[in-house]
Amino acid sequence: MSVYDIIKNRRSIRRFKQQPVSYEILEKMIEAGRLGPSANNFQPIEYILVDDPKIVQKIFVHTRLAGYLPKGTGVPPAGQEPVAYIAILINKELGTKWSAHDIGAAAKNIMLTGFEKGVGSCWLGAINREEIVKLLNITEHYELDTMIAVGYPDEEPVSEPLNDSHKYYKDESGKLHVPKRELQNILHHNSF
């Protein structure tokens, strides 16, 4: 599969099979994040890989997935929760005003590498940082930016042209639809 096909076909996954993802795959995903571009090459990002089922479950209650879906329908039911998390941290001594760009590039590399290996993911900003910082013993020299939920997909979301709303939704069969702006609506060539 080409890089373009991987990018085109990857969707955020919010329902996971309860099959562990090997440490080797998870490590490779983080290695891909590490290799992303970094402003001034300061490399302020560090990671905590969480795959211990007891800790994963404790983190799960401090995350929100699929906020646009009606209450109760976005949260994975028992037996479809993530099996691992990747916490993305900023080392405050190395962070700059450009760290968010570094994080975006790293997160995308992580998710694309996982997708290539059949692993689904969902980048999470809606997290209870205070509680997760305590659970993971993150020191004051670091800022917890975001988390990536990880596992083998137990759903197949589809993208579709954005029409009336940017909000993703589930159809009557339970399939998740994700509206995306079409290229002709966002591409300006040589000038605006």
Side-chain angles (χ1 to χ4, degrees), residues 126-140:
I127 58 176
N128 183 333
R129 284 171 180 76
E130 186 176 313
E131 291 300 319
I132 295 171
V133 163
K134 288 180 202 172
L135 280 168
L136 299 180
N137 300 311
I138 298 170
T139 68
E140 65 186 31

Side-chain angles (χ1 to χ4, degrees), residues 6-191:
I6 290 171
I7 292 167
K8 186 177 177 183
N9 290 304
R10 193 211 69 83
R11 299 270 66 82
S12 292
I13 300 298
R14 296 170 179 89
R15 301 213 184 299
F16 302 92
K17 296 177 182 173
Q18 297 305 289
Q19 171 187 350
V21 177
S22 74
Y23 181 83
E24 291 74 26
I25 290 175
L26 294 166
E27 183 180 58
K28 186 172 188 174
M29 291 168 67
I30 293 171
E31 173 72 353
R34 180 188 74 82
L35 294 171
S38 178
N40 297 311
N41 202 34
F42 283 143
Q43 305 175 55
I45 305 171
E46 296 186 29
Y47 308 90
I48 298 176
L49 170 58
V50 181
D51 61 354
D52 179 310
K54 291 177 184 154
I55 302 171
V56 167
Q57 190 57 43
K58 289 178 182 178
I59 290 172
F60 177 72
V61 300
H62 297 294
T63 64
R64 287 186 303 161
L65 289 89
Y68 285 140
L69 297 178
K71 190 170 175 86
T73 63
V75 176
Q80 289 187 313
E81 304 97 333
V83 298
Y85 287 99
I86 298 170
I88 301 177
L89 311 174
I90 300 170
N91 180 324
K92 292 179 183 178
E93 294 176 9
L94 300 174
T96 70
K97 68 178 184 175
W98 304 109
S99 295
H101 298 281
D102 293 7
I103 291 167
K108 190 66 174 188
N109 282 1
I110 289 167
M111 293 183 291
L112 292 176
T113 299
F115 183 80
E116 179 189 36
K117 299 293 185 187
V119 175
S121 59
C122 188
W123 193 9
L124 305 173
I127 58 176
N128 183 333
R129 284 171 180 76
E130 186 176 313
E131 291 300 319
I132 295 171
V133 163
K134 288 180 202 172
L135 280 168
L136 299 180
N137 300 311
I138 298 170
T139 68
E140 65 186 31
H141 301 292
Y142 292 87
E143 175 187 336
L144 173 60
D145 183 79
T146 48
M147 308 270 302
I148 299 177
V150 178
Y152 289 101
D154 202 12
E155 66 176 347
E156 295 180 17
V158 295
S159 65
E160 62 184 38
L162 186 144
N163 291 315
D164 299 331
S165 174
H166 66 279
K167 295 181 179 181
Y168 45 82
Y169 66 94
K170 287 189 177 184
D171 64 22
E172 58 281 346
S173 69
K175 185 174 274 298
L176 186 64
H177 293 256
V178 182
K180 296 284 186 182
R181 292 175 69 188
E182 295 187 81
L183 184 62
Q184 68 266 21
N185 296 327
I186 63 163
L187 174 62
H188 309 279
H189 190 197
N190 292 326
S191 71

